[in-house]
Amino acid sequence: MQRGALLTTAFPDSKFTIEQMVAEGDTVVVRWTVRGTHKGDLMGNAPTGKPISLSGVSVCRLADGKLVEGWGNWDALGMFQQLGIVPELAKARAAR
């Protein structure tokens, strides 16, 4: 939950879009996209005012109607590149 609070503070206007959801047995897999504007502190990085768009996948296991385990994979490097927080990589990306 700390990660969720961290991101909603940094991107208070964030909007998630579920691109695909698949369920089998007690497992649900969600492919999602999030878009938002960097308006708050992000791990010591001051707001840049820049927009982000990134994708990720979440895998959840349910038991008795409750979430009991979860795993996620998302493009954190891409987010930092879009914000210019990783300047060398952002510069190389812009030169493409």
Side-chain angles (χ1 to χ4, degrees):
M1 290 301 170
Q2 287 179 334
R3 184 177 302 140
L6 175 96
L7 292 176
T8 55
T9 297
F11 305 97
D13 65 343
S14 59
K15 301 286 184 222
F16 281 82
T17 302
I18 295 175
E19 306 293 349
Q20 184 176 19
M21 184 182 297
V22 178
E24 183 177 321
D26 63 355
T27 303
V28 178
V29 179
V30 180
R31 185 173 58 86
W32 49 265
T33 302
V34 63
R35 292 172 179 81
T37 309
H38 185 207
K39 296 181 179 182
D41 180 77
L42 178 63
M43 301 182 331
N45 293 284
T48 62
K50 294 182 179 180
I52 61 155
S53 177
L54 59 101
S55 60
V57 174
S58 298
V59 180
C60 305
R61 189 174 69 81
L62 307 167
D64 298 320
K66 296 181 181 180
L67 176 67
V68 293
E69 290 184 284
W71 306 270
N73 188 359
W74 56 283
D75 186 13
L77 176 59
M79 176 184 70
F80 287 115
Q81 288 174 325
Q82 290 173 57
L83 296 175
I85 294 172
V86 185
E88 314 79 48
L89 296 173
K91 186 177 178 180
R93 185 176 185 195
R96 289 186 208 167

